[in-house]
Amino acid sequence: MAVCIAVIAKENYPLYIRSVPTQNELKFHYTVHTSLDVVEEKISAVGKALGDQRELYLGLLYPTEDYKVYGYVTNSKVKFVIVVDSSNTSLRDNEIRSMFRKLHNSFTDVMCNPFHNPGDPIQSKAFDGIVSGMMVQTG
Amino acid sequence: MAGSQWELPPELCCRPMAFVALTGLDVVYNAVHRAIWDAFCANRRADRVPISFKVLPGDHEYPKCRTKRTSYEWYIPKGILKTSWMNKHLNLVPALVVLFYELDWDDPQWKEKQSECATKVEIVRTSLQGRNTKVAVVLIQKKTPLPPGEDLVASERASALCNACDLSGKSLFVLPHTDHLVGYIIRLENAFYEHAQTYYYTEIRRVKSHKEFLNKTTHQLLFVRHQFKIAFFIWISSTNAWLLSYFVFVFVFFLFRYYKTAYSLVHELRAHETNMLEIKTMAGFINYKICRLCFQHNTPLDAIAQFRKHIDLCKKKIGSAELAFEHAAWMSKQFQSFGELFDEAIKLGLTAIQTQNPGFYYQQAACYSQDRKQLAQQLWQAGVSYPSPDPLDTQSTGLDFYGQRPWRQGHQKFSGVCILHKHLFFLKSLQELIIALLSNAVAQFKKYKCPRMKSHLMVQMGEEYYHAKDYTKAVKLLDYVMCDYRTERWWALLSAILSTALRCAYLMASVKDYIIYCMELQGRASTLKEEQKSRIEKNLMKVLLNEIPDPEPECDPSSVAAARLLWSDRMALVGSNEFTIEVQDYIPFIQCKAKFQSPSFHVDQPIQLQVLLKADCPHPVPFSKLAISLSNQEYNQWCVLESTGQDSMILSPGKTKCYNFNFVAKTEDVGKKIEVRGVFLMLGSDRGRCVFLSWRGAGGDAASTHEALQASRSSWRWVRGLEANQEPHWDSVSMQHSTMIISRVPKISVELNHQPPALCNEMYCLRLTVQSQEEGVAKDVRLTAGLKPGQDANLSQTTHVTLDGSVVCDDTAAALLPDIPLGDLKPGEKLEKCVYVKCVSTGLRVLLFHVAYSISTTVEGQHIICKCHKDETVAIETVVPFEVSVKFVSTKFEPLDRVAVDIPFLLMTDILSSSPWPLLLASSSLQLLTMTNDVLKSSVLQTGESASECFCLRCPPLTNSNNTVPTGQYLVSWRRQLSCSDAPLIHTTVTLPHVILESVPLYIYADLPSFGRVRESLPVRYHIENRTALVQEVEMAVEPSDAFMFSGLKQVRVRILPGSEQQMLYNYYPLMAGYQTLPQLSINLPRCSTTNAHSLRRFLPQRIFVKPQGRQLDDASIAAA
């Protein structure tokens, strides 16, 4: 289960960030922000090779001492980042993938809302619910 | 210092070499010995065997060998590895001792020397008591030795010497001191190396043999020690290839032992704690060695995997909570040394990637160092005090074992406090260490394209500088990265960085920075809570009143006190109370947008400029002045808003305030743009401190572009539009930073009357009618007429404009007539003007008629004189009025391709009108080279009609040999029939074509009536002229014809003198009516073969019309007809 889930706009500003241990929110912001380096690098590398038939799931972006950071990029270049605790070894790649897929579906629903302005921060209860379901439950 | 115990010992980092001691060499006084020693030392490149040599005196004392233990039963080891052990085996205990001795095989005192040598060997053996060190003897000889086997004396004496010294034959060497010294030395070296290896193998076997005495419960440490020693000996004596695998093995073995030890000692906590440090130290050493070897063997992935395994195993082994900081320091050191190893490998050609580069290790090292600092500070705050006497004083004597605490041997007392205090003493240098690690990491991440990681690390560096109280550097670093976070719109991170920067600015009492950070922290991009914003705003207000702001929370109380002093110094300072802050690149708490109400204004309208201001801070903001700087400074005076007296202007939070400015443009600025160069808002007052917020251009800041884009995309904007309240929606207000001043709308009508198309070369008349609809007098009306500039360059050469239509203008007339004064126009008055255009070439032309005038008018009470103008353009096609065609025909109207000299021919001209308008041909004339002939008189040609003329010409005899001659010109004078009678005539000249002349030797022509009558005599007289200078003989014959009878000479031969003519008279008598072919006259010139009868015949009529015979009665009437 994730400790931080973020949605990043095409222009690399955050649309949504939620992390579990709320006291160290800033650290997760930094983690997500720095992971964009790798995301950008991966996108540009893939873009050259395959054109539009690319895999949305980017896999493990980079491991830190404490966390593993996974990335996912939609076709409209919106990025999803999931941060998982390093000690949580039970999570498999497939589970991460399915988390991203669920997140993407929910994000699509948000975008389908005619009253949502794409590019504005996400303030959807349904999306919040999906994210909460994927987060580590504390206390 | 606490970190130093994990500094890798130099013995571990260097390349270990077999140690060989040389004795018996006097390198100071003996030149030969010196040369030998130099040959050993100099040029020790990688291709030579790894030996370190040392010259020692013959009676050198080697480290004593402890008596060998026969049983380990009662032995409890005190530690894993002694600190002196590696050094001992690298530098103190030799693998081989070589005795150099000068002795030739044929030495006269052989016996004596042999026994002296044996004695020296014995001394060396004694001093090596108990060691397995080998001994070898080298005889330095002056003579080159004979090949082996030939010198019988030598072999005999060698074996004798070996016996005397108790040496094997392999340990005796001969070094002839000759030219090839280096070659001999290298061979010696290799032999020494073999001996040394044998020694180390023996040592390995010896260490291994201890194993069987060991006891698994008490001798855990010895297992490790022995394995390490074995690895170390292998390392010295062997190539790298299988060393690596051995070290990996040792590591696994070691960790295995380590776990067992840890578990078995878990009950004795103290012993466990002490052991922990030692184990970690040794683990670090071994891990370092393995990683280094992996990198050397170009298997970086193995190195990384090894390091990860190491870290994962040791990470959780913190030990007691009090010593957590020590563990952090150790971890930091592990990461740092691995980062350095990695970096070194990259310098030697390894390629790293974005997600796996030394930067991560440096960063992690810094991270652990930060943890260490934090942990130490916590302990410090917990009030742990330093014991006395200082137990660390014993450290000067050095430690026996790696990774043990100095007091362990002495007072068995455990305390982390000692180390803590030592550590706190070095807190400053710890900060330097963290910063150095971070900047290493920054350099790496920069190299591997991780700009965001780099920014993050720079933030950390900035914070570290803040903790180190180096606020200037902190602010510099934070400022540098702030704009990255701002452009990427990570507000939470930006706010956090700004908060740190604000604290720095407060502690430095840097007023301007303080104001800037305050402004941005109150702004809409700040994620601070409302009460924090409110506190910051109060502080800002204090600064504006030149008071000391309240300290930022989380600041060190002692620093706050220092900062207060600094602030009060600042307050006292006079003069530095005005700041201008360029807010464009920030996101300040006041937003500004300026807009001209229209993209263009007529000069007779007032220009309307609107400035919108909005405050995002929690409390109302008063301001004292609003000024706008425009591209033309003269207008600035109209765009200033200043508070009068006490009451200042207030911006309420979240509300948009709108300020309107009107001013009148200057007439000189017509056609120019007025731009907003900047908007200035003054906060504070002259009494306290004033701050000018300055927006470049028409306002907006670092975030407003994106907001405007979002607003334009928003589906809510229609709804907002419908609300239509008094307050405009901020984001959807767009800026209009410039406006164009355009001239006043002219109130005149300009009409053009003309009859297109224009005819080539004619004076084409365009009648211009200007009528004023102005209420006042239009003064100084001027007309510019002519070809519109910017067309084909040739057109300006072929177009001429004039006002005088009475004469045809010449080429000097310009294509554009500028500024023709037309005088004044009263209201309603009408003015006419004719402009004539002469187009020399055909094609389309655009003509421009520009009527300009000035009129005085009043705007907003100001009296201004406006210039107005109206443009009319007209496109005119020019066509050719008529085509002139010319042809030459013979008198028989047969087309001529050449003309005979002095023989009449006809010139026919045709004028075909292609003008849509009737043309009046006033006259035409033929201008031959010799004479002029006027013919045509006024006739009118409609479209498609043509006028033809016929001239009979005769070419004078040739004066030169040239056989083509120009004929002359045909001149037509014409004009449009409809144009007024005083319009000038246009003279069009057509150059007639050249004719080809030929001279004929004989000319013949006939005199005959125009018609004949059946059965009536028809007299025909042929004239034959000789045109040559010779007498011509002519044979003539008349051929019979069915239609005629004739009388005359049927066949004759005559001679014609030059220039004279001969006449021949025939009487023809027609027999049939109608067109009849005349009897053929055949002429032959026997003397002039060039001219044949045929060419002469063309001069003669071929046929004649014969009328039928009339009735006798009506003879008279027929004759009359």
Side-chain angles (χ1 to χ4, degrees), chain A residues 8 12-14 17 26 29-30 32-34 36-38 40-41 61-62 65 114-115 117-120, chain B residues 308 335 354-355 360 364 450-453 456 459 485 488-490 492-493 496 706 710 713-716:
Chain A
I8 314 293
N12 285 338
Y13 64 90
I17 294 197
L26 207 60
H29 277 251
Y30 275 121
V32 172
H33 185 240
T34 48
L36 291 178
D37 283 335
V38 187
E40 295 251 292
E41 187 75 12
L61 296 180
Y62 72 99
E65 266 319 280
F115 296 105
N117 188 16
D120 281 351
Chain B
R308 278 253 61 89
F335 277 99
Q354 191 193 35
T355 51
F360 283 102
Q364 204 58 43
C450 303
R452 294 179 186 86
M453 188 61 110
H456 175 39
V459 172
Y485 288 102
E488 292 230 299
R489 305 170 52 75
W490 283 72
L493 300 179
H706 183 262
Q710 283 299 108
R713 267 193 217 155
S714 171
S715 50
W716 286 98

Side-chain angles (χ1 to χ4, degrees), chain B residues 656-676:
Chain B
T656 305
K657 265 262 173 99
C658 184
Y659 299 95
N660 288 305
F661 300 100
N662 287 347
F663 59 91
V664 180
K666 298 215 177 308
T667 44
E668 306 91 88
D669 279 351
V670 173
K672 287 183 190 156
K673 230 177 199 179
I674 298 185
E675 270 179 70
V676 179

Side-chain angles (χ1 to χ4, degrees), chain A residues 8-29:
Chain A
I8 314 293
K10 181 176 173 244
E11 297 87 358
N12 285 338
Y13 64 90
L15 293 176
Y16 183 94
I17 294 197
R18 207 157 125 210
S19 50
V20 159
T22 38
Q23 68 275 16
N24 211 352
E25 208 179 346
L26 207 60
K27 185 179 174 184
F28 284 112
H29 277 251

Side-chain angles (χ1 to χ4, degrees), chain B residues 749-994:
Chain B
S749 67
V750 175
E751 264 178 64
L752 276 174
N753 278 316
H754 60 115
Q755 293 169 317
L759 302 178
C760 217
N761 286 324
E762 86 168 318
M763 297 297 284
Y764 185 66
C765 174
L766 294 122
R767 188 179 297 276
L768 182 81
T769 313
V770 180
Q771 184 163 25
S772 165
Q773 280 128 24
E774 292 283 359
E775 282 150 16
V777 180
K779 284 188 188 132
D780 194 21
V781 183
R782 280 168 188 275
L783 167 70
T784 298
L787 195 68
K788 195 176 179 188
Q791 301 183 71
D792 188 357
N794 288 335
L795 286 182
S796 60
Q797 302 293 321
T798 55
T799 310
H800 309 286
V801 182
T802 175
L803 294 176
D804 183 8
S806 59
V807 287
V808 177
C809 67
D810 53 10
D811 289 352
T812 54
L816 182 70
L817 288 179
D819 288 336
I820 307 154
L822 300 181
D824 295 350
L825 260 187
K826 292 192 184 67
E829 205 180 359
K830 204 184 214 174
L831 189 146
E832 281 197 358
K833 189 85 187 166
C834 279
V835 176
Y836 297 90
V837 180
K838 182 182 165 194
C839 305
V840 180
S841 65
T842 57
L844 190 73
R845 284 169 176 78
V846 179
L847 301 181
L848 169 76
F849 294 88
H850 171 97
V851 181
Y853 64 96
S854 59
I855 189 158
S856 64
T857 179
T858 313
V859 196
E860 302 244 306
Q862 271 185 282
H863 201 69
I864 56 168
I865 293 172
C866 302
K867 288 209 163 81
C868 304
H869 65 86
K870 185 151 186 174
D871 284 358
E872 279 291 321
T873 55
V874 61
I876 293 171
E877 183 76 50
T878 306
V879 296
V880 179
F882 51 80
E883 306 272 358
V884 177
S885 61
V886 176
K887 60 186 179 192
F888 296 103
V889 291
S890 71
T891 44
K892 295 193 305 184
F893 291 99
E894 288 166 350
L896 283 181
D897 54 349
R898 48 188 63 208
V899 171
V901 174
D902 213 12
I903 295 167
F905 63 95
L906 296 179
L907 168 70
M908 294 189 71
T909 61
D910 267 318
I911 301 172
L912 175 68
S913 163
S914 51
S915 148
W917 304 100
L919 288 181
L920 174 74
L921 296 182
S923 65
S924 77
S925 69
L926 189 67
Q927 290 182 325
L928 297 177
L929 289 177
T930 48
M931 55 165 292
T932 304
N933 184 12
D934 290 334
V935 220
L936 206 70
K937 286 287 174 217
S938 313
S939 56
V940 173
L941 274 188
Q942 297 293 337
T943 316
E945 285 181 344
S946 83
S948 300
E949 284 182 85
C950 183
F951 304 93
C952 184
L953 305 177
R954 184 187 177 103
C955 191
L958 277 178
T959 50
N960 54 10
S961 59
N962 204 347
N963 61 353
T964 58
V965 287
T967 30
Q969 285 174 322
Y970 182 58
L971 215 75
V972 185
S973 302
W974 60 277
R975 64 176 164 87
R976 285 189 191 212
Q977 195 208 2
L978 298 179
S979 61
C980 50
S981 56
D982 60 348
L985 286 172
I986 300 109
H987 305 289
T988 304
T989 307
V990 180
T991 305
L992 299 174
H994 288 212

